[in-house]
Amino acid sequence: MSPSILSKCLKFKVTTENERIVAVSPFEADPTPSSIPHVVPAAVHHRSRVARPSFRRGWLEGGADRARHKRGSDEFVELPWDEALDITAAELDRVRKEHGNDAIFGGSYGWASAGRFHHALSQIHRFLNCIGGYVSSYASYSTGAAQAIIPHVFGMNFLKMTWGEQNSWPMIAKHTELLVMFGGINPKNAQVSMGGVTRHETTNWLKQFSQNGMELINIGPQRSDAPSEAEWLAVIPGSDTALMLALAYVLETEALCDRGFLETHAVGYPTFRCYLLGETDGQPKAPEWASSICGVTPEAIRDLARKMAAKRTLITVAWSLQRAQNGEQPYWMAATLAAMLGQIGLPGGGVGYGYGAIGGVGVPLKRLDGMTLPQGKNPVSDFIPVARISDMLLHPGENYEFNGATRTYPDARLVYWCGGNPFHHHQDLNRLAEAWKRPDTIIVHEPWWTATAKHSDIVLPATTPYEREDIGRASSDSFLFHMPKLIEPVADARDDYDILASLARRLGSGDAFTQGRDADGWLRHLYDRFRQNVSAEGIETPSYDELRDKNWVELPIAGAEHANVPFEAFRSDPEKAPLGTPSGKIEIFSDTIDGFGYAEIPGHPVWREPDEWLGSVEAKRYPLHLVSPQPADKLHSQLEAALADLPNTRPSPMALHPIDGAARAIANGDIVRVFNDRGSCLARAVLSENIREGVAAIPTGAWFDPNEDGTDNQGNPNVLTRDIGTSRIGQGSSAHTTLVEIERSAAG
């Protein structure tokens, strides 16, 4: 029995017998273990595993466009590995010779193995770079809008800010008096993190905050997104920016903002102030104005603003808020609000993003080399924002705007996906299914027959982390793991590295890809380089063979002594420690953004009404606002094959207020049909007063499985979500800008 690692999720122990995983148990160093791993044995050995290399019959037989219209409904033909690799290599060679490498889209976005070597995205990108390059994607579905706006406001990479310029849990516990959580802080989401989570600490920290007497305010449509001790302001989805503006209005009109800080550490406040007071558009952003938009009383808004000015306040904003139309606005406005309070650079004060989104945010840690497989240099410079896949496939050659530039969608003739499931995380899956029919060829590596695999042409069976050896090392975790090979590969599955090395040899790039190393050679090479780097920082680690014997070690890099006060140097002397913005200061008004000329996002934060929300005309047809949070029982869609087999789990649960249920004669547990103009899915009604009236919540992660009339049987909310960019700044995912209606289903 030895620890292993669920794909980029968490650490736990695994028991094997006769080449099968038979049980899992918590890792002893974890104070609040997750229940997610309990289905790992069933998932690894599930009947939905891809057994052998499989080719869609219509593609294999050729003909007019290789029957692309049958993607998703065609049958598959199994072939031996050598023949499969020959055909795959020949198709890659054809596309690059006939159309160039800029006709290859190396999507491969998504959560893959926590192992540092068998990391699917690194593997496929290294391979594609070795054969001439590929069109890549920028940013993530989780934080696309944030990654675009934060550099304009704070002058730094958003992920760098997340890990290096935010208050740590111990600092919050010691200094913060008022924690204002836009979108909440939900320990459910913090079960997982990039590279793994060993100690799940978020729950205990939130308990400690309450015990310390800290006041917690949960602003969002669901009470369950924060501890029960928190005061709940049940805001209308999509209206957070309006609420923030009203809070700012109170600070300004009641002389509660820190004008000295605004003058010395920020630029553009006078221009923003004119908008705030209504001098530029005739509409003061007073609490009465905001109340009609966000559903929070004017009295509650004024009370909260006064508290924020009177106490050491930390404003936190969930990642979910920027996954919506105009998602850049609440992130920019939260920074503006924090600047008005003047507490940026003070311990426990200011603003922070993504607490609770993943397990590592808030953990005080000395950052070390991530031990990553070199991907090489991509000879192709073209890219798309990650959430614009359908647009690229449907509109090749058309122009689009992104962060101040006019770009052109490439003509992707071949899509190569390795380590991810776009038919889980993309929006408007029916539109994606249509777009997915456009390329000549789609190749995927998959352990399971996901919807992505079923909609592809070439499906190469890949191993799971339990069927290969690796090293586990998360950048937000103090543990270093050897990940032993626990069982032999299921059926004819092969490691991604073995598959890609075989293809590289067929394409004349074998030496460039492997550098003469097998998997064991790479593991030792990556680990030795990591040892040398951390040794230079005074941290000693065991040899590779010693780590194998120990299974895991904890590195001396965690603890409150590694917590820094975010923006401390900037606060102390903004001239000597300027930010990376053009002004060197926090940009409440950005000349750069203003120069883009985008009506939806001018030079300072503004309220822009979404196309779909409870205040829009569209709400007359579809009167419920759908939110699609992360699931509690898995990471995205991983393990879904086994979870779907459990009784009363599918279709997915849908939280709904009892008043909304009664208006539609829906009882607790009823199977309902959720629909709008984009599609429909089934769901299982869960009536609860912990969700705002007029809002429905379906977690993501169910495998897309439409029936004959197109209704998704499993409850994937992305058949309903809207596939538009957040704005021309970020072009991120707008999943939370979605209206629906619900009715009882005959299936129930």
Side-chain angles (χ1 to χ4, degrees):
M1 183 165 68
S2 57
S4 182
I5 301 180
L6 176 61
S7 298
K8 272 196 176 177
C9 186
L10 51 144
K11 280 92 172 181
F12 53 92
K13 289 186 174 181
V14 176
T15 303
T16 63
E17 290 180 5
N18 300 321
E19 293 300 326
R20 292 186 67 87
I21 296 176
V22 296
V24 297
S25 57
F27 180 47
E28 61 266 24
D30 194 344
T32 52
S34 169
S35 62
I36 287 176
H38 77 280
V39 294
V40 165
V44 171
H45 303 284
H46 198 266
R47 62 186 179 278
S48 64
R49 285 293 298 265
V50 181
R52 281 164 285 281
S54 299
F55 289 71
R56 188 172 61 80
R57 182 176 293 280
W59 184 91
L60 194 62
E61 294 177 350
D65 294 329
R66 284 177 158 170
R68 287 181 289 185
H69 65 284
K70 289 188 175 181
R71 284 190 185 127
S73 60
D74 210 351
E75 64 178 346
F76 282 81
V77 177
E78 294 181 346
L79 295 178
W81 266 111
D82 282 345
E83 185 178 357
L85 292 167
D86 288 344
I87 295 172
T88 303
E91 178 62 5
L92 282 162
D93 199 39
R94 180 193 72 82
V95 171
R96 67 176 181 170
K97 286 178 178 177
E98 292 183 7
H99 305 288
N101 281 74
D102 54 1
I104 298 174
F105 179 62
S108 301
Y109 168 86
W111 294 68
S113 171
R116 301 315 307 148
F117 174 63
H118 292 290
H119 177 247
L121 182 146
S122 298
Q123 291 281 348
I124 183 61
H125 289 176
R126 177 181 176 84
F127 165 74
L128 291 173
N129 286 337
C130 287
I131 67 166
Y134 64 100
V135 173
S136 60
S137 58
Y138 169 80
S140 75
Y141 280 81
S142 295
T143 59
Q147 285 179 259
I149 194 65
I150 289 301
H152 290 293
V153 179
F154 285 107
M156 67 178 66
N157 177 280
F158 174 68
L159 297 180
K160 179 182 178 182
M161 181 175 173
T162 300
W163 303 120
E165 292 293 345
Q166 296 201 152
N167 282 278
S168 66
W169 295 127
M171 191 170 293
I172 297 170
K174 184 176 181 180
H175 298 283
T176 303
E177 298 173 299
L178 175 63
L179 186 62
V180 181
M181 302 171 286
F182 286 91
I185 297 178
N186 197 328
K188 161 183 69 67
N189 298 343
Q191 294 179 94
V192 302
S193 187
M194 285 79 78
V197 180
T198 303
R199 292 194 177 105
H200 292 86
E201 303 179 80
T202 304
T203 297
N204 288 343
W205 279 115
L206 291 172
K207 288 180 180 178
Q208 183 173 331
F209 295 166
S210 296
Q211 292 168 359
N212 290 353
M214 186 188 303
E215 188 172 0
L216 285 74
I217 310 293
N218 172 26
I219 301 173
Q222 294 195 86
R223 184 191 300 273
S224 57
D225 279 335
S228 58
E229 297 85 356
E231 179 185 350
W232 181 33
L233 296 183
V235 70
I236 292 172
S239 67
D240 300 82
T241 301
L243 173 57
M244 293 181 193
L245 283 165
L247 292 169
Y249 182 92
V250 175
L251 296 180
E252 168 61 34
T253 57
E254 296 188 8
L256 298 175
C257 60
D258 189 330
R259 300 195 185 280
F261 185 87
L262 290 170
E263 290 173 0
T264 55
H265 291 75
V267 295
Y269 182 72
T271 303
F272 169 75
R273 179 180 179 276
C274 291
Y275 168 77
L276 186 67
L277 297 179
E279 296 172 5
T280 56
D281 64 356
Q283 176 58 68
K285 310 308 178 293
E288 289 73 17
W289 164 83
S291 179
S292 63
I293 296 171
C294 68
V296 178
T297 67
E299 294 75 16
I301 295 172
R302 286 192 172 87
D303 179 62
L304 177 56
R306 292 162 184 163
K307 285 181 181 178
M308 292 170 71
K311 297 184 176 184
R312 181 65 57 86
T313 298
L314 177 61
I315 302 167
T316 67
V317 189
W319 285 358
S320 59
L321 266 67
Q322 52 87 64
R323 291 197 293 272
Q325 189 178 13
N326 308 313
E328 295 83 3
Q329 296 292 352
Y331 268 50
W332 198 355
M333 188 56 221
T336 300
L337 195 56
M340 292 177 69
L341 291 171
Q343 297 185 24
I344 294 173
L346 295 177
V351 65
Y353 304 101
Y355 290 97
I358 51 177
V361 180
V363 175
L365 202 71
K366 180 180 177 65
R367 305 294 165 182
L368 300 176
D369 171 35
M371 204 186 326
T372 56
L373 176 70
Q375 295 183 22
K377 180 175 175 56
N378 188 352
V380 176
S381 61
D382 203 4
F383 68 89
I384 63 165
V386 70
R388 303 274 55 82
I389 296 170
S390 291
D391 286 349
M392 174 190 70
L393 297 178
L394 290 169
H395 304 292
E398 293 189 14
N399 291 339
Y400 69 99
E401 293 179 272
F402 172 55
N403 210 358
T406 298
R407 303 184 58 83
T408 303
Y409 285 121
D411 186 3
R413 298 302 186 96
L414 185 147
V415 174
Y416 203 145
W417 210 283
C418 179
N421 184 7
F423 276 86
H424 148 67
H425 62 241
H426 199 72
Q427 280 62 65
D428 194 348
L429 292 182
N430 290 313
R431 182 173 187 255
L432 177 65
E434 182 60 34
W436 212 245
K437 297 174 183 177
R438 301 303 177 91
D440 296 350
T441 302
I442 297 174
I443 306 169
V444 301
H445 295 191
E446 254 298 348
W448 293 277
W449 280 106
T450 63
T452 299
K454 292 177 180 179
H455 283 79
S456 301
D457 302 309
I458 301 173
V459 184
L460 303 177
T463 53
T464 67
Y466 317 101
E467 299 156 53
R468 60 202 184 207
E469 182 179 2
D470 214 330
I471 302 167
R473 160 82 188 110
S475 60
S476 58
D477 194 85
S478 60
F479 284 77
L480 180 63
F481 279 80
H482 175 254
M483 299 168 62
K485 180 180 179 179
L486 298 172
I487 59 174
E488 289 299 314
V490 171
D492 283 346
R494 292 188 181 181
D495 299 344
D496 296 315
Y497 179 71
D498 294 337
I499 297 170
L500 296 171
S502 297
L503 290 172
R505 284 191 290 271
R506 285 166 167 81
L507 294 167
S509 302
D511 291 342
F513 180 73
T514 67
Q515 294 186 5
R517 299 185 182 98
D518 60 9
D520 183 70
W522 271 110
L523 286 167
R524 292 178 182 276
H525 172 72
L526 295 176
Y527 185 73
D528 287 345
R529 189 176 63 181
F530 170 75
R531 286 190 76 202
Q532 293 172 10
N533 290 340
V534 300
S535 178
E537 300 191 42
I539 299 171
E540 298 304 315
T541 53
S543 70
Y544 183 70
D545 289 325
E546 289 171 336
L547 181 63
R548 267 180 165 174
D549 293 337
K550 290 176 177 288
N551 191 223
W552 61 271
V553 294
E554 184 172 11
L555 304 176
I557 59 174
E561 66 273 18
H562 298 294
N564 67 303
V565 179
F567 298 103
E568 183 177 33
F570 168 69
R571 181 184 182 88
S572 177
D573 193 330
E575 300 301 322
K576 290 184 178 180
L579 301 180
T581 57
S583 65
K585 299 179 180 181
I586 300 165
E587 301 220 342
I588 295 174
F589 183 91
S590 166
D591 285 325
T592 301
I593 292 178
D594 188 55
F596 294 163
Y598 298 158
E600 73 273 24
I601 184 165
H604 57 75
V606 293
W607 159 250
R608 287 289 185 262
E609 181 177 332
D611 294 338
E612 291 188 24
W613 71 297
L614 293 179
S616 66
V617 174
E618 192 70 6
K620 294 179 180 179
R621 297 177 61 214
Y622 298 113
L624 295 172
H625 194 120
L626 178 71
V627 294
S628 45
Q630 296 295 331
D633 56 358
K634 58 184 172 295
L635 169 60
H636 295 310
S637 66
Q638 292 185 24
L639 307 178
E640 172 63 12
L643 286 165
D645 287 345
L646 300 178
N648 300 319
T649 59
R650 295 299 173 269
S652 298
M654 180 197 65
L656 188 69
H657 195 279
I659 291 176
D660 293 318
R664 295 161 176 81
I666 294 170
N668 202 49
D670 281 352
I671 303 299
V672 299
R673 176 176 170 266
V674 191
F675 62 95
N676 58 23
D677 289 341
R678 291 179 288 274
S680 61
C681 71
L682 301 181
R684 187 180 302 273
V686 178
L687 302 184
S688 172
E689 293 186 350
N690 290 328
I691 189 168
R692 181 186 171 93
E693 186 179 346
V695 181
I698 303 177
T700 61
W703 283 2
F704 179 54
D705 180 29
N707 60 24
E708 291 182 358
D709 69 5
T711 297
D712 176 63
N713 289 312
Q714 300 299 307
N716 188 321
N718 277 328
V719 301
L720 304 159
T721 51
R722 196 160 181 239
D723 187 16
I724 61 167
T726 50
S727 79
R728 285 175 285 180
I729 289 280
Q731 291 285 6
S733 161
S734 294
H736 292 298
T737 302
T738 301
L739 292 177
V740 299
E741 180 56 291
I742 300 170
E743 63 185 10
R744 292 184 66 183
S745 170

